[in-house]
């Protein structure tokens, strides 16, 4: 069977992206709560990051609201994206992301189940805190819990994330933060 494998030339390089869910600590078995969990796990991220970088891989950290508003988490992530290859993306967990207008329930934990205007407001709030914390808007958006709904496919004026980059895992990576190019 090995003879049937495709042999790519060395010049082809590495062709994958690694997206890291970077979210508050919480118990998936417990009810959803507006009170975000801790962020102490972020202390382990530099070690994990170093392991990937040692193998030439860059990471895109998909940050949610509690992480983007925790000064220690931001400090850690800023040091990691300073490698010039890794990047910040966003992940929307509606239950811990303002504005808080929806009922907390399983259905509303999927961003795509929210009214379109509320989903847009939450994503705008998250984009703002990420841009303020990291000095750049998020590079990519993945709906937390993969909760993409019908509103995710329409343009949302005023947001830094273009529609094709904020829906699911579709993304456009500028050369300065290209995680799929060889080192």
């Amino acid at each position: 069977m090995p003879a049937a494998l495709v042999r790519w030339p060395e010049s082809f390089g590495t062709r994958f992206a690694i997206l890291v869910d970077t979210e508050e600590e919480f118990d998936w078995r417990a009810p959803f709560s507006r009170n975000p969990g801790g962020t102490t796990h972020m202390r382990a991220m530099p070690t994990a990051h170093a392991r990937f970088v040692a193998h030439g891989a860059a990471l895109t950290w998909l940050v949610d609201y509690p992480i983007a508003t925790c000064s220690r988490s931001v400090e850690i992530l800023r040091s990691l994206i300073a490698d010039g290859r890794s990047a910040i993306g966003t992940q929307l967990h509606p239950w811990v992301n303002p504005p808080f207008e929806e009922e907390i329930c399983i259905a509303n934990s999927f961003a795509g189940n929210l009214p379109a205007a509320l989903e847009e407001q939450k994503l705008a709030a998250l984009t703002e805190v990420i841009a303020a914390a990291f000095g750049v808007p998020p590079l990519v958006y993945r709906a937390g819990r993969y909760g993409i709904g019908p509103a995710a496919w329409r343009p949302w004026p005023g947001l830094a994330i273009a529609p094709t980059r904020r829906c699911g895992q579709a993304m456009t990576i500028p050369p300065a933060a290209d995680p799929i190019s060889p080192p």
Side-chain angles (χ1 to χ4, degrees), residues 81-139:
I81 64 172
D83 69 6
R85 294 190 42 170
S86 297
I88 295 294
T90 185
Q91 179 173 201
L92 178 59
H93 284 175
W95 63 96
V96 291
N97 196 118
F100 300 118
E101 298 175 8
E102 77 284 6
E103 172 191 0
I104 297 179
C105 63
I106 292 173
N108 287 339
S109 70
F110 296 91
N113 289 338
L114 299 174
L118 182 57
E119 183 182 9
E120 181 175 343
Q121 291 168 354
K122 286 180 177 284
L123 187 54
L126 182 54
T127 299
E128 282 180 29
V129 298
I130 289 174
F134 299 101
V136 294
L139 183 64

Side-chain angles (χ1 to χ4, degrees), residues 24-174:
E24 79 281 8
E25 299 160 2
F26 57 91
D27 181 353
W28 281 106
R29 297 166 298 190
F32 290 98
S33 170
R34 297 260 189 245
N35 301 318
T39 58
T40 59
H41 65 291
M42 292 300 296
R43 293 182 301 220
M45 296 308 112
T47 301
H49 184 83
R51 288 180 181 150
F52 282 92
V53 169
H55 294 284
L59 304 175
T60 300
W61 301 90
L62 302 179
V63 176
D64 73 352
Y65 199 89
I67 296 294
T69 57
C70 170
S71 60
R72 179 69 181 131
S73 296
V74 168
E75 179 184 329
I76 290 168
L77 289 169
R78 284 181 74 103
S79 73
L80 301 182
I81 64 172
D83 69 6
R85 294 190 42 170
S86 297
I88 295 294
T90 185
Q91 179 173 201
L92 178 59
H93 284 175
W95 63 96
V96 291
N97 196 118
F100 300 118
E101 298 175 8
E102 77 284 6
E103 172 191 0
I104 297 179
C105 63
I106 292 173
N108 287 339
S109 70
F110 296 91
N113 289 338
L114 299 174
L118 182 57
E119 183 182 9
E120 181 175 343
Q121 291 168 354
K122 286 180 177 284
L123 187 54
L126 182 54
T127 299
E128 282 180 29
V129 298
I130 289 174
F134 299 101
V136 294
L139 183 64
V140 62
Y141 167 62
R142 181 174 67 210
R145 308 196 71 205
Y146 304 99
I148 293 177
W153 304 105
R154 67 178 177 77
W156 288 349
L159 294 184
I161 303 169
T164 58
R165 290 170 52 204
R166 76 163 199 269
C167 300
Q169 300 199 29
M171 60 183 151
T172 302
I173 313 256

